[in-house]
Amino acid sequence: MTDAGSWVALFSGGKDSSWALYRALSEGLNVSHLLTVHPGEDSYMYHVPETQLASLAAESIGIDLIEVDPGDLDAGDVDDAGAQGDRELEPLEAALVDLQSELDGDLVGVTAGAVESEFQTSRIRGMCDRLGIDLFAPLWGEDPRALAEAMLDAGFE
């Protein structure tokens, strides 16, 4: 994993993505953008509640926010959760490809706040592999209670 170049934090505004962003910045990663996907009512891949508040968090943090509306990707359109998850990833991947071209290939990775979901993490890892970028998932596989205690110890409320 490299810290040279730009990183994008997958950011819902929730505690896990906020903590992953904090950890990335603490590691010295150059997080140039936050990226929020607004999934609608139901999603296998994304945090759903109150993602519209991510813009306020981004403003307070001072990092540019990219907002992605996946359009008409309804979970009822696909019978298989895996296929639906793959389909939900398409708008995210397209947004990263667009940003990568704007940055002249200087996008080196994304951060993710996944803790326990192999479903999400495997798809994000596959996307990163396709794009030739790194994945920084500092919460992956960690004990949720220990993560919460670490957040509180760092001053998160």
Side-chain angles (χ1 to χ4, degrees), residues 115-135:
V115 178
E116 295 180 318
S117 174
E118 180 64 37
F119 183 87
Q120 294 169 326
T121 304
S122 66
R123 281 162 176 76
I124 294 169
R125 185 173 287 119
M127 176 193 70
C128 289
D129 290 346
R130 286 189 300 278
L131 297 175
I133 61 177
D134 290 326
L135 170 62

Side-chain angles (χ1 to χ4, degrees), residues 98-121:
D98 289 347
L99 180 61
Q100 201 169 25
S101 67
E102 289 175 26
L103 295 171
D104 294 325
D106 198 25
L107 177 62
V108 295
V110 298
T111 72
V115 178
E116 295 180 318
S117 174
E118 180 64 37
F119 183 87
Q120 294 169 326
T121 304

Side-chain angles (χ1 to χ4, degrees), residues 25-79:
L25 294 171
S26 296
E27 292 283 326
L29 301 182
N30 176 28
V31 179
S32 64
H33 294 81
L34 307 178
L35 193 149
T36 300
V37 176
H38 300 287
E41 292 183 23
D42 197 19
S43 174
Y44 290 105
M45 281 298 301
Y46 304 110
H47 179 88
V48 174
E50 307 300 337
T51 58
Q52 72 275 12
L53 297 177
S55 63
L56 296 174
E59 184 179 331
S60 72
I61 297 167
I63 299 176
D64 290 339
L65 176 68
I66 299 166
E67 296 185 84
V68 177
D69 180 359
D72 296 325
L73 292 181
D74 181 11
D77 290 346
V78 179
D79 292 334

